[in-house]
C-alpha cells in the first residue's frame, strides 16, 4: 500500500496519477481505505492549479526560486519545438520521472541533485525526445555543462550532490569539464571561426577561481595544466602521461600566466 | 494559564503593532546581493525609515540566498543592514520557512535548527514562528504551504515535529495556524482544523500565532461566512496565542485568498476586534507584508483598514494594566 505522503507527491507531480484521482479511478491510487477517504477533501480545482504552478515554476522559474529550465536550456527547448515536442508534454514526463524525484531544492529531505542535472539526466535517458538530429546529444551536454558550471561558479559549497562526475571533474581547486566537438559545432557556438585547423576542438567549461564562468576552446597543453592544478613553475606537467617536451619555455610561461589570469590555475 | 508556563517570549507586556516582511533575494522589496556587500533594497529602506515610530517591532521571513549549504555568516551583511535602519525596534522575531513541521516524511532539521540558533544569538530574536504545514515534499517546495495532513497520523507527526523544533531552538517557538484556499492550496483529511490546532499546541506545549486571514479562510471553506465566522473560535488555543498576523486578503471568484498584497478586508478587522479580548497572553499584532511605493509610503487602498487596525491595536496596547 502506498503512503499518504507518497500519494500527495504523485498527485502534485505525476499527471497520470492525478488524472486517475480526478477521474475517480481510486483503485489505481494504491492507498489503504482510510487514506483514500482522506483524499475526498481535496479541492480538485486547487489541486490542478497547484500542480500547474509547480510545472510553471520549474519551467519558467519563479520570484524566489530562480530562472527556470527554459532559461537554462534555451537551445534544447528550441530543438524540442523543432522536433514537434510540446513543451508541456515534456515537462509532464519530466516531473513524473525518477530523475525529478532525485532532485532536491531543499537539502533536509535526504541527499539529491539540482533540477538542472535532473533535467539533463532525464533527456539523456529519454533520447526519443531529441532523436531528430545527431547533434542534439552534444547540444544537451553543452547546455548542461554551461548551466552547471555557471551554478557551481556562484555556489562553491552547494547543498546538492553532483551525479555527473563522469563529465564534471575537479583538480582540487576548481571544477571543470572538457568536451571534444567537431569544428563546425564549436564555430557555431562561438559565432566565428576557431583557431587551428583540426577537425575536432577541445572545449572547456570551468567555475574559475576568480568566481567567473569560463568557457571556450582549449588546447591539450592548457588542459594538462588545468588538470594538474599547477601553474607549472616547477616544470611541465605530466598529467595523464602527456609531457610537454616540445613547448618552448617562454610559450609555456606565457600560457601558465594566461591561465592564472583566467582563474584556471592557482598562482603560487 | 499564565505566560510563563506557556514558554512565551519574555517581552514585558504588550508590544503593540509590528511589521512582518517576507524578504526574498530578488525583486523590489527584499535583500540585494552586491559585490561591495549585501544589503536591502531602497524601497524597503525608505519604508523602514518612514515608519520607525509607527511600528514597535519587526520580524522577517527567511528566504535562502543561494544554493550553498546554509552558513549564518553568509547572511550577516544583509541582516545587519536591515536592522541598522530600525535601531528602535528592540524586539525582533524570525519567521522560518523550512522547518516543515507538517511533514510525515524523514526530514533532518538539526542543521537548520543550528543555523537558526546562530541567527538568534546574533540578532536576539525573541521568537521564531512558522506556519504549521507542508512547505516542501520530497525536498521540493510547493507554491504555497499546504495545511498539514488533517488526519490522526498527520496530527501525531505535527506534535512530534513541533516538539523537536521547540526543544532545539534557543528562542520560543510560536506555531502559526495554517492557511486554507490560497489559490494554489488544498488539504487532505477531514480532522477539524480548530481541534487539530488546539490538540497540537496542548500536546506539544507550544505558543501559537493566529493569522486572522487564515482563520477566515478556513471558516469560508466550511461555509461560515459573515456573522458565522465567529462560530467555533473558542476551540482554538486562545490562551496560548502570543501573536496575531494580518496580511492583505481578497475574495476572488467566491474563494478567500491570502494574497499578502497589503489590503486588509473588513472581515479581518471585525475578527481582530472580536479576538483581541479573548487572548489573555497576546503580546504582538503583526501587519504582514505591507505594500508601499518606492518612497516607502503605504499604498492608498491599504490605508482605510490599516488605520482601523492601528486604532484597535493602539487602544488594546494602552488598555493593558500590568
Amino acid at each position: 500500500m502506498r503512503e499518504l505522503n507518497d500519494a500527495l507527491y504523485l498527485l502534485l507531480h505525476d499527471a497520470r496519477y492525478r488524472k486517475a484521482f480526478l477521474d475517480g479511478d481510486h483503485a489505481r491510487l494504491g492507498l489503504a481505505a482510510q487514506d483514500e477517504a482522506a483524499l475526498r477533501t481535496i479541492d480538485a480545482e486547487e489541486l490542478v492549479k497547484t500542480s500547474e504552478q509547480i510545472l510553471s515554476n520549474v519551467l519558467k522559474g519563479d520570484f524566489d526560486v530562480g530562472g527556470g529550465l527554459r532559461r537554462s536550456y534555451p537551445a534544447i527547448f528550441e530543438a524540442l519545438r523543432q522536433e514537434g515536442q510540446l513543451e508541456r508534454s515534456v515537462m509532464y514526463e519530466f516531473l513524473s520521472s525518477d530523475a525529478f524525484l532525485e532532485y532536491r531544492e531543499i537539502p533536509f529531505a535526504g541527499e539529491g541533485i539540482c533540477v538542472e542535472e535532473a533535467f539533463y539526466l532525464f533527456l539523456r535517458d529519454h533520447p526519443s525526445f531529441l532523436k531528430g538530429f545527431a547533434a542534439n546529444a552534444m547540444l544537451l551536454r553543452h547546455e548542461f555543462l554551461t548551466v552547471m558550471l555557471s551554478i557551481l561558479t556562484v555556489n562553491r559549497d552547494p547543498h546538492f550532490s553532483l551525479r555527473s562526475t563522469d563529465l564534471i571533474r575537479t583538480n582540487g581547486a576548481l571544477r571543470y569539464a572538457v568536451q571534444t566537438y567537431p569544428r563546425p559545432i564549436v564555430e557555431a557556438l562561438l559565432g566565428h571561426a576557431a583557431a587551428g585547423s583540426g577537425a575536432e576542438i577541445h572545449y572547456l567549461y570551468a567555475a574559475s577561481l576568480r568566481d567567473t564562468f569560463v568557457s571556450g576552446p582549449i588546447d591539450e597543453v592548457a588542459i594538462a595544466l588545468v588538470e594538474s592544478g599547477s601553474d607549472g613553475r616547477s616544470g611541465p606537467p605530466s598529467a595523464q602521461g602527456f609531457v610537454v617536451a616540445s613547448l618552448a619555455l617562454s610559450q609555456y610561461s606565457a600560457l601558465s600566466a594566461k591561465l592564472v589570469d583566467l582563474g584556471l590555475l592557482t598562482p603560487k | 494559564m499564565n505566560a510563563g508556563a506557556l514558554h512565551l517570549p519574555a517581552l514585558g507586556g504588550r508590544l503593540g503593532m509590528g511589521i512582518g516582511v517576507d524578504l526574498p533575494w530578488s525583486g523590489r522589496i527584499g535583500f540585494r546581493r552586491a559585490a561591495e556587500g549585501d544589503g536591502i533594497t531602497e524601497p524597503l529602506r525608505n519604508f523602514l525609515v518612514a515608519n520607525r515610530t509607527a511600528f514597535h517591532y519587526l520580524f522577517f521571513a527567511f528566504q535562502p540566498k543561494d544554493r550553498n549549504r546554509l552558513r549564518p555568516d553568509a547572511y550577516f551583511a544583509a541582516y545587519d543592514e536591515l536592522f541598522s535602519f530600525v535601531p528602535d525596534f528592540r524586539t525582533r522575531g524570525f519567521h522560518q520557512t523550512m522547518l516543515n513541521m507538517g511533514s510525515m516524511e524523514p526530514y533532518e532539521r538539526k542543521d537548520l535548527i543550528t543555523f537558526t540558533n546562530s541567527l538568534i544569538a546574533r540578532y536576539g530574536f525573541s521568537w521564531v514562528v512558522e506556519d504549521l504545514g507542508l512547505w516542501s515534499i520530497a525536498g521540493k517546495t510547493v507554491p504555497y504551504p499546504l495545511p498539514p495532513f488533517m488526519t490522526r497520523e498527520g496530527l501525531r507527526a505535527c506534535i512530534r515535529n513541533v516538539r523537536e523544533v521547540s526543544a532545539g531552538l534557543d528562542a520560543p517557538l510560536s506555531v502559526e495556524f495554517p492557511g486554507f484556499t490560497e489559490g494554489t492550496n488544498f488539504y487532505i483529511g477531514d480532522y477539524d482544523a480548530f481541534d487539530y490546532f488546539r490538540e497540537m499546541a496542548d500536546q506539544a506545549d507550544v505558543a501559537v500565532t493566529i493569522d486572522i486571514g487564515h482563520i477566515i479562510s478556513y471558516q469560508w471553506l466550511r461555509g461560515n461566512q459573515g456573522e458565522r465566522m465567529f462560530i467555533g473560535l473558542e476551540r482554538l488555543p486562545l490562551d496560548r496565542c502570543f501573536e496575531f498576523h494580518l496580511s492583505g486578503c481578497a475574495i476572488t471568484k467566491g474563494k478567500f485568498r491570502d494574497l499578502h498584497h497589503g489590503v486588509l478586508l473588513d472581515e479581518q478587522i471585525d475578527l481582530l476586534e472580536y479576538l483581541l479580548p479573548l487572548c489573555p497572553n497576546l503580546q504582538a499584532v503583526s501587519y504582514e507584508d505591507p505594500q508601499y511605493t518606492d518612497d516607502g509610503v503605504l499604498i492608498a487602498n491599504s490605508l482605510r483598514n490599516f488605520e482601523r487596525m492601528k486604532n484597535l491595536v493602539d487602544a488594546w496596547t494602552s488598555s493593558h494594566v500590568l
Side-chain angles (χ1 to χ4, degrees), chain B residues 212-232:
Chain B
I212 303 282
H214 290 181
I215 296 294
I216 298 175
S217 73
Y218 183 66
Q219 293 289 58
W220 198 271
L221 266 184
R222 298 170 64 95
N224 291 335
Q225 297 160 22
E227 285 299 306
R228 292 178 57 80
M229 78 173 171
F230 304 110
I231 292 174

Side-chain angles (χ1 to χ4, degrees), chain B residues 81-109:
Chain B
E81 175 162 288
L82 170 70
F83 290 117
S84 73
F85 284 99
V86 281
D88 296 332
F89 286 7
R90 296 212 182 115
T91 301
R92 303 160 174 177
F94 188 59
H95 192 318
Q96 253 294 2
T97 56
M98 289 183 161
L99 295 169
N100 205 25
M101 294 181 285
S103 174
M104 288 207 300
E105 60 190 352
Y107 194 83
E108 181 48 64
R109 295 181 179 83

Side-chain angles (χ1 to χ4, degrees), chain A residues 63 103 105 108 116 155 157, chain B residues 26 67 69 108 139-141:
Chain A
F63 189 66
Y103 155 49
E105 179 192 348
F108 310 115
E116 291 83 1
N155 294 278
D157 184 27
Chain B
S26 56
R67 297 196 235 185
R69 288 178 212 277
E108 181 48 64
K140 296 168 255 300
T141 59

Side-chain angles (χ1 to χ4, degrees), chain A residues 9 13 58 94-103 115 118, chain B residues 140:
Chain A
Y9 178 85
H13 300 99
V58 172
F94 173 51
L95 259 59
S96 64
S97 70
D98 289 339
F100 188 77
L101 181 61
E102 210 183 324
Y103 155 49
V115 69
Chain B
K140 296 168 255 300

Side-chain angles (χ1 to χ4, degrees), chain B residues 9-15 283 320 322:
Chain B
L11 301 177
R14 295 176 182 179
L15 290 179
Q283 296 181 64
H320 181 59
L322 288 172

Side-chain angles (χ1 to χ4, degrees), chain A residues 5 8-9 38 41 43 46 49-50 54 63-64 100-101 103-106 108 116 151 155-159, chain B residues 24 26-27 66-69 98 105 107-108 137-141 143 149 183-185 187-189 255 257:
Chain A
N5 188 76
L8 175 58
Y9 178 85
T41 60
D43 181 320
E46 297 284 328
K49 274 201 214 166
T50 305
I54 289 172
F63 189 66
D64 296 328
F100 188 77
L101 181 61
Y103 155 49
R104 290 289 180 274
E105 179 192 348
I106 303 287
F108 310 115
E116 291 83 1
I151 289 169
N155 294 278
R156 294 287 173 174
D157 184 27
H159 66 67
Chain B
S26 56
D66 49 35
R67 297 196 235 185
N68 285 314
R69 288 178 212 277
M98 289 183 161
E105 60 190 352
Y107 194 83
E108 181 48 64
I137 295 167
K140 296 168 255 300
T141 59
F149 291 98
T184 49
N185 186 292
Y187 63 97
I188 294 174
K255 284 192 172 172
R257 300 297 188 208

Side-chain angles (χ1 to χ4, degrees), chain A residues 107-108, chain B residues 69-72 96 98-99 107-118 164 169:
Chain A
F108 310 115
Chain B
R69 288 178 212 277
L70 287 182
R71 269 184 34 227
Q96 253 294 2
M98 289 183 161
L99 295 169
Y107 194 83
E108 181 48 64
R109 295 181 179 83
K110 192 161 70 73
D111 289 348
L112 180 60
I113 290 172
T114 300
F115 169 81
T116 306
N117 283 341
S118 297
E164 177 201 353
L169 286 176

